[in-house]
């Protein structure tokens, strides 16, 4: 039977381990599941048709983004055929949420594929402008704009500038991979070399407006046979260009793996999830922090990128245990000691199989 009271009585047990899955190059290539990925995730549920029947606490820990955690959870459920909760999704830009208060009543620029503006608004930023809208406030800001066949001719109300007190930017957020690099490199340089308003002079002695990147991946595995340039490559391009300007060198902050804070946040999320599993909250009991879940003995990071996924788990140290797959950025046989993985496997299915056998 499936009644709520019966579900609450379902016996939950404590697992001493948890799993963090990288997405691109481990579970998906582009939007397509890597063979074995749905099967591997199904093993983590008692009944994979019910979100409540999660048996082993796991999260998605990706440097990608461009949509809200809730939207990404829905998308992942469809792509991987398991019920994914928004709390199980940590994106590159998830830490931006903590910055919203710093930018209260200040206008910020949202850059990148997908819906970077909707992402920042969902975190509580109250004055967000998408790069696509921002460029319309400045005639001819993109010197190559008229050679881009996808650009729509400007409509009359497009050119109406926003209220003056809002037009100065207090910060730039690269939320996801930029789409139009030539435009975005130009406009971000304009913003940072001015006092937050393209075409104006910087105030001497005033620091550059802050710029935040959701991740710093040089490349990542998508649908093409070899990895594609990522946000880290864009950052290098911006930095190289910006540092040729007479202003001081680029100051920036990057989030994402391999940063230690990402792994610490992931630990908290996994503990909360585990507490919900054993207290029955996932099967309908009221949400509670009791009984607390004891610390994990192992948290497995399954990734394809030695310099983000594996290095980060090594920096975090125990209980983190890095497992490297050969389905993404890494295809070799041996691996440099700097990034040493606890285990190298063919694919995610072999990784989960290894974990379940190791945990007995
Ligand atoms: O754009 C996505 C890429 O930067 C990394 O994604 O899931 O491999 O961390 P992932
Ligand atoms: Mg990856």
């Amino acid at each position: 039977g499936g009644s709520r009271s019966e579900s609450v009585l379902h016996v939950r047990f404590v697992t001493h381990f948890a799993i963090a899955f990288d997405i691109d190059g481990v579970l998906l290539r582009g939007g397509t599941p890597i063979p074995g990925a749905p099967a591997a995730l199904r093993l983590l549920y008692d009944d994979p048709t019910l979100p409540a029947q999660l048996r082993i606490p796991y999260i998605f820990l990706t440097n990608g983004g461009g949509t809200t955690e809730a939207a990404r959870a829905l998308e992942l459920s469809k792509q991987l055929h398991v019920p994914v909760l928004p709390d199980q999704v940590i994106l590159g830009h998830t830490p931006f949420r903590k910055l919203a208060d710093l930018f209260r009543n200040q206008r910020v620029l949202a850059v990148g594929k997908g819906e970077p503006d909707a992402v920042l608004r969902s975190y509580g930023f109250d004055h967000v402008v998408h790069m696509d809208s921002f460029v319309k406030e400045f005639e001819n800001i993109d010197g190559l704009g008229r050679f881009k066949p996808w650009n729509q001719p400007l409509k009359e109300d497009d050119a109406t500038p926003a209220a003056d007190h809002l037009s100065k930017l207090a910060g730039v957020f690269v939320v996801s991979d930029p789409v139009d690099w030539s435009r975005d490199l130009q406009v971000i340089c304009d913003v940072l070399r001015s006092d937050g308003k393209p075409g104006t002079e910087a105030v001497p002695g005033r620091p550059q407006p802050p710029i935040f990147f959701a991740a710093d991946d040089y490349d990542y595995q998508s649908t093409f046979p070899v990895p594609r340039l990522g946000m880290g490559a864009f950052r290098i391009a911006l930095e190289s260009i910006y540092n040729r300007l007479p202003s001081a060198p680029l100051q920036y902050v990057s989030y994402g793996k391999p940063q230690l804070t990402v792994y610490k946040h992931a630990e908290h999320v996994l503990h909360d999830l585990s507490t919900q599993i054993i207290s029955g909250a996932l099967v309908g009991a009221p949400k509670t922090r009791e009984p607390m879940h004891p610390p994990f003995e192992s948290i497995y990071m399954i990734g394809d990128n030695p310099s983000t996924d594996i290095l980060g788990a090594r920096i975090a140290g125990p209980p983190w245990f890095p497992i490297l797959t050969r389905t993404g950025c890494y295809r070799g046989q041996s691996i440099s000691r700097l990034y040493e993985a606890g285990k190298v496997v063919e694919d995610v299915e072999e990784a989960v199989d290894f974990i379940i056998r190791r945990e007995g």
Side-chain angles (χ1 to χ4, degrees), residues 12-13 15 17 19 21 27 36-50 53-58 80-83 88 277 302 347-357 359:
R12 315 306 300 177
F13 60 92
T15 56
F17 67 100
I19 308 175
F21 290 91
L27 297 169
L41 292 177
R42 270 201 301 277
L43 295 173
L44 310 177
Y45 294 81
D46 284 334
D47 179 346
T49 63
L50 302 168
Q53 300 296 322
L54 188 58
R55 185 162 68 91
I56 295 168
Y58 81 89
L80 296 162
H81 316 295
V82 285
Q88 286 178 285
I277 293 175
I302 308 177
D347 57 22
V348 66
E349 202 172 14
E350 192 186 327
V352 171
D353 191 59
F354 165 79
I355 292 167
I356 289 174
R357 275 193 286 140
E359 295 293 338

Side-chain angles (χ1 to χ4, degrees), residues 22-26 62 217 220-221 257 303-305 308-309 328-329:
D22 176 62
I23 296 180
D24 293 308
V26 167
T62 178
D217 298 36
Y220 67 102
Q221 185 63 50
K257 299 167 283 184
D304 68 302
N305 189 333
T308 58
D309 308 317
C329 289

Side-chain angles (χ1 to χ4, degrees), residues 18-20 257 263 298-325 335-345 351 354-355 358:
I19 308 175
K257 299 167 283 184
Y263 292 77
S298 306
I299 305 176
Y300 298 93
M301 172 77 234
I302 308 177
D304 68 302
N305 189 333
S307 58
T308 58
D309 308 317
I310 304 307
L311 177 63
R314 275 291 170 228
I315 292 170
W320 286 91
F321 184 110
I323 302 179
L324 181 62
T325 68
I335 180 152
S336 119
R337 292 203 72 77
L338 176 62
Y339 302 135
E340 200 180 310
K343 175 87 183 160
V344 182
V345 294
F354 165 79
I355 292 167
R358 187 170 186 264

